[in-house]
Amino acid sequence: MSQPKEAWGSKLGVIMAVAGSAVGLGNFLRFPGLVADKETGGGAFLIAYFISLLVVGLPICWAEWTLGRFGGSQGFNSSPGIFHSILRKPWGKYVGLLGFIVPVGVYFYYVVIESWCLGYAWHSFSGNLDLKGAPAFGDFFSTFTGQSEDGAVFSFGSAFWFFAVVFILNFIIIYRGLSKGIEFICNWGMPLLIVIALVLLVRVMTLGTPDPSKPDLSIWNGLGYMWNPTDIAKGLSNPEVWLKAASQIFFTLSVGFGVIITYASYLKPKDDVALSGLTATAANEFCEVALGGLITVPAAFAFLGASAVAGGTFALGFNVLPQVFAGMPGGHIFGGLFFTLLFIAAITSSLSMLQPGIAFLEEGLGLDRRRSVALLGLITAAGCLLVVWFSRDLKALSTVDFWIGDIGIFLQGTLLIYVFNLGFGTERGWQHLHHGADIQVPGIFRHVLRWVSPIFLTVIFSMFVLRNVAGWNLSFTDAAFMPTDQILDLVGSEAHPANRVARLTALFLFVFAAFSCLLIHLAGRRWSRQSR
Amino acid sequence: MTSTGILFMAVSVGSVTCLFVWCLWKVLSGKKNPDHLGHVEPIEREDLTRR
């Protein structure tokens, strides 16, 4: 069935869409927490972070833009199709398997978190978050997300309805298509997100010392808590600092996600990718370092002190910050604005997770837009309901996040850089990168792409697996291994019995991966019949 | 906040802000070349034979 090829409406539109995909909750919640970490944060983390940006983030970003545009020129828009067109081997399309599995799999739980943001925005604006005492905020979050027992979300008032609204909204937008749906939302959403962030930044910077009886708890000291460097030499010799910095760069830029390669495939063959890739990366870094780095941690420190900052992403966003907003004048408004900001960041990301799936179903199975949206809706509804129902201790969510959102993304990114160098060819890729380019990429990046990025990424990925699967203590001199909770949840031990929900979730992911393989097999037969 | 803390913050925030503004300026002030939009042209001969 022949369909008109979709395309971006403008150059700025595709940049906004890629930036919208990259800017997410991690920019405003995870990054500040990592910088503020007293063990592995501070100046050493920032140095490792910016080095990782230059040797992994930016080069892989350019590689993904280049491969995507090339795939588009061959008539493919999905990772399996693009890798098929590059590798020209019967197994080539399977190399792109993760480019379908990862974005769809991450969507299973990301849209649930997105619905929390919308719910919290609603409750902030309506004054329902005017609670007294830290335990009340913890209880609200636990109840709202159904952490007490499985299926609890369905019995707690509005939580499920927020999920349903957000889920349906995503599919309505994606059904409208690339330009009228994704690009339209990102063209409005990204500037709005930056404006809201700037309003919040001004509010936070003018807080001074919220409680005069506690002069140490000030914004100035909060900034110091976040940015004062600790022992830089010691930090840079700590492998965990590099692992955290490189992982953050990798996840924040959405490289290896299957999104950039799909978005870039809708470009014309002579459209620029060098400046566009750099601009999308710069937009993400601006939101992460200049906005995320100045808002959340300093505000939390000024109201609640250092202990409040060290609780992880969810705790900072949905437990600590609501307390902060409740304590400041006009907190309803600023709290509502903050969660609106998170919701915008989340929806521009979740939309990007659906497009690779839509693109594959359209070109692989020959479905039209309506049928591909319906099929992807069924697949994601199954995954999302699993995450929503098994909400106790967020076990299903954390299991999908680990196997798909961590391991899957790392693996796909590593494959991508090897395909760029070995399958496509570094020199050819460099030539394609500059075809129609609006800037000249410095020549040193050719060597970085060929040598540094693959080696650096392979080392970091290996460390990540050894750390998070085998439980390595990251010591070279006194190495010890102890299986992590994610592994013990599946295999069990005397001290840590296997978790039923984690096992069920892993089984679901296995079936989903096998189903995806079947779809790619069918797609390959279709492409063979079409001599593609 | 120490002076090195201020330095780290200023360099980090300043560099990403300058890069973002420069990129936006380059994109918005870039050449408008509508004739290549929609004009499909093979980048290399090898690609032409594959299509």
Side-chain angles (χ1 to χ4, degrees):
Chain A
M1 178 178 320
S2 177
Q3 298 171 54
K5 183 171 165 58
E6 288 200 279
W8 296 103
S10 69
K11 180 177 178 177
L12 193 59
V14 62
I15 292 170
M16 288 289 189
V18 174
S21 167
V23 176
L25 305 181
N27 295 59
F28 297 94
L29 300 177
R30 189 166 187 264
F31 172 78
L34 288 171
V35 180
D37 189 308
K38 291 295 120 181
E39 295 294 319
T40 56
F45 175 85
L46 284 167
I47 291 171
Y49 176 85
F50 283 112
I51 289 175
S52 301
L53 172 65
L54 291 175
V55 301
V56 176
L58 199 48
I60 298 183
C61 203
W62 274 323
E64 200 164 348
W65 276 82
T66 303
L67 295 183
R69 187 186 58 178
F70 171 80
S73 74
Q74 306 296 300
F76 290 101
N77 301 113
S78 68
S79 284
I82 291 169
F83 284 118
H84 167 73
S85 72
I86 292 169
L87 296 170
R88 292 282 153 190
K89 304 280 186 207
W91 46 265
K93 54 189 174 292
Y94 294 103
V95 179
L97 170 70
L98 286 171
F100 174 74
I101 289 179
V102 167
V104 176
V106 171
Y107 184 86
F108 292 163
Y109 66 89
Y110 200 86
V111 72
V112 179
I113 302 170
E114 186 180 326
S115 72
W116 299 349
C117 299
L118 183 64
Y120 266 63
W122 173 268
H123 288 301
S124 292
F125 280 128
S126 57
N128 294 338
L129 282 175
D130 274 349
L131 306 171
K132 300 294 177 201
F137 287 93
D139 289 344
F140 184 91
F141 178 58
S142 177
T143 310
F144 188 76
T145 54
Q147 291 185 54
S148 55
E149 59 177 312
D150 291 334
V153 170
F154 292 88
S155 61
F156 178 69
S158 56
F160 178 75
W161 295 110
F162 282 113
F163 162 73
V165 166
V166 169
F167 185 89
I168 293 168
L169 180 64
N170 270 280
F171 276 91
I172 289 174
I173 296 169
I174 207 78
Y175 178 70
R176 289 174 56 83
L178 198 69
S179 185
K180 290 180 181 171
I182 297 172
E183 186 175 351
F184 176 80
I185 292 295
C186 292
N187 275 345
W188 284 96
M190 288 307 292
L192 181 62
L193 179 149
I194 290 176
V195 168
I196 293 175
L198 290 173
V199 169
L200 290 168
L201 181 61
V202 170
R203 170 70 279 207
V204 168
M205 289 298 127
T206 53
L207 281 170
T209 306
D211 185 351
S213 67
K214 297 175 184 170
D216 285 347
L217 299 186
S218 65
I219 285 297
W220 186 248
N221 286 342
L223 288 169
Y225 180 81
M226 168 111 187
W227 293 98
N228 285 345
T230 47
D231 190 339
I232 294 175
K234 185 182 169 192
L236 288 176
S237 63
N238 182 357
E240 188 155 14
V241 172
W242 287 94
L243 182 58
K244 285 188 173 179
S247 302
Q248 176 62 16
I249 278 295
F250 204 72
F251 297 137
T252 191
L253 293 178
S254 291
V255 288
F257 215 84
V259 171
I260 295 175
I261 200 167
T262 293
Y263 276 5
S265 72
Y266 294 103
L267 291 170
K268 305 292 186 301
K270 280 183 73 175
D271 282 352
D272 159 84
V273 292
L275 178 61
S276 299
L278 181 63
T279 307
T281 302
N284 178 71
E285 290 309 303
F286 173 73
C287 290
E288 179 150 297
V289 178
L291 299 177
L294 296 178
I295 294 174
T296 42
V297 166
F301 181 93
F303 277 88
L304 302 169
S307 59
V309 178
T313 302
F314 288 161
L316 179 63
F318 298 100
N319 192 353
V320 173
L321 288 172
Q323 296 177 55
V324 170
F325 292 119
M328 72 170 64
H332 293 175
I333 304 296
F334 291 109
L337 283 175
F338 177 74
F339 287 107
T340 303
L341 174 152
L342 290 187
F343 174 68
I344 295 169
I347 195 169
T348 51
S349 299
S350 63
L351 287 171
S352 74
M353 294 166 198
L354 294 176
Q355 185 59 31
I358 297 288
F360 173 68
L361 295 177
E362 285 180 342
E363 73 189 17
L365 305 184
L367 303 180
D368 60 16
R369 189 83 182 174
R370 192 173 59 174
R371 288 189 173 87
S372 61
V373 166
L375 179 55
L376 191 64
L378 283 175
I379 295 170
T380 53
C384 290
L385 285 175
L386 180 92
V387 171
V388 170
W389 179 266
F390 292 108
S391 56
R392 185 173 182 181
D393 300 329
L394 303 179
K395 184 56 78 178
L397 188 155
S398 59
T399 303
V400 183
D401 180 34
F402 178 71
W403 291 107
I404 302 283
D406 289 343
I407 301 283
I409 290 178
F410 252 128
L411 187 57
Q412 171 69 358
T414 309
L415 285 173
L416 187 135
I417 195 67
Y418 280 104
V419 167
F420 180 83
N421 281 299
L422 302 176
F424 196 64
T426 316
E427 291 304 320
R428 185 176 171 216
W430 186 257
Q431 190 186 346
H432 275 251
L433 170 62
H434 286 92
H435 194 80
D438 288 343
I439 57 168
Q440 170 70 39
V441 177
I444 191 171
F445 277 102
R446 186 199 322 229
H447 307 292
V448 172
L449 267 165
R450 175 177 290 181
W451 300 110
V452 183
S453 299
I455 294 171
F456 189 89
L457 191 52
T458 304
V459 169
I460 292 294
F461 178 49
S462 303
M463 282 173 60
F464 186 87
V465 171
L466 287 170
R467 169 71 162 169
N468 293 287
V469 177
W472 179 34
N473 61 356
L474 288 176
S475 169
F476 292 103
T477 53
D478 190 20
F481 295 87
M482 181 171 291
T484 57
D485 285 351
Q486 283 84 4
I487 300 302
L488 291 174
D489 279 345
L490 300 182
V491 300
S493 72
E494 282 187 21
H496 186 127
N499 185 286
R500 182 181 60 90
V501 172
R503 283 183 162 183
L504 181 68
T505 307
L507 176 65
F508 177 85
L509 293 178
F510 180 79
V511 171
F512 170 55
F515 179 65
S516 303
C517 279
L518 175 67
L519 293 183
I520 290 178
H521 173 71
L522 295 175
R525 288 173 56 177
R526 184 168 185 270
W527 294 333
S528 294
R529 283 198 303 272
Q530 296 173 339
S531 303
R532 295 172 81 185
Chain B
M1 192 175 189
T2 63
S3 53
T4 44
I6 295 173
L7 182 69
F8 264 92
M9 184 178 77
V11 171
S12 301
V13 173
S15 57
V16 295
T17 305
C18 288
L19 178 65
F20 179 48
V21 171
W22 180 80
C23 286
L24 266 188
W25 172 76
K26 285 286 284 182
V27 169
L28 296 175
S29 66
K31 61 182 187 295
K32 300 281 186 293
N33 190 7
D35 61 356
H36 79 248
L37 295 173
H39 171 67
V40 181
E41 176 182 290
I43 295 174
E44 55 192 60
R45 185 169 295 278
E46 193 183 355
D47 299 336
L48 183 64
T49 56
R50 281 178 177 173
R51 294 180 70 190

